[in-house]
Amino acid sequence: MFAFERQFLTEEDMAEGLIHERFHIPVTLAIFFGLLSIAYPSLNGLTEYAFWGFTSLILARLVALDLTNHTLPNIYVAPLALLSFVGIAIGAVALSWQQALLGGFIGFGAILFFSFLIEFMLKSAFLGGGDI
């Protein structure tokens, strides 16, 4: 974990995850290049390359932190959420505002529903608010 990330987390947030913390940079890079390899064939122009490159880097970092520490720091979650609006505004995301909001509500609602269902069945917390 990078030093600046630690100031946004508590000791409880830094539990050991599925992957040892010393692998967080290689895991971040592997996920980043994997995401770019998926997006690359459909990109047109420098604006889309920059947008999807930056978005993929933040998303890769979030996935790596979740795998290594079971935490999603708001320092990455908030910019990623804002980038979705920027992507729509600059045309890098081929969705309308209505489609994006509807997809967000449906996705959030479905994950929230299953989280409550699993918590009810297991009688313990399953997902945190950041995961949803």
Side-chain angles (χ1 to χ4, degrees), residues 2-75:
F2 298 117
F4 75 92
E5 294 170 339
R6 292 186 189 278
Q7 68 184 350
F8 296 98
L9 301 172
T10 65
E11 287 299 320
E12 294 172 356
D13 291 334
M14 291 194 243
E16 187 66 34
L18 299 173
I19 298 172
H20 193 273
E21 191 174 326
R22 68 179 156 189
F23 298 117
H24 71 92
I25 292 176
V27 168
T28 300
L29 291 174
I31 295 167
F32 171 68
F33 287 118
L35 290 170
L36 280 185
S37 69
I38 294 168
Y40 180 76
S42 64
L43 300 179
N44 298 320
L46 184 61
T47 305
E48 287 188 18
Y49 287 119
F51 172 79
W52 286 108
F54 191 62
T55 303
S56 296
L57 186 59
I58 293 174
L59 186 58
R61 189 67 194 133
L62 274 171
V63 171
L65 282 171
D66 198 20
L67 289 173
T68 56
N69 297 96
H70 290 294
T71 188
L72 298 171
N74 288 337
I75 190 173

Side-chain angles (χ1 to χ4, degrees), residues 108-127:
F108 178 80
I111 294 171
L112 185 64
F113 170 76
F114 285 112
S115 174
F116 284 143
L117 182 65
I118 292 170
E119 284 182 25
F120 176 75
M121 291 174 12
L122 297 178
K123 305 284 191 256
S124 67
F126 180 69
L127 292 175

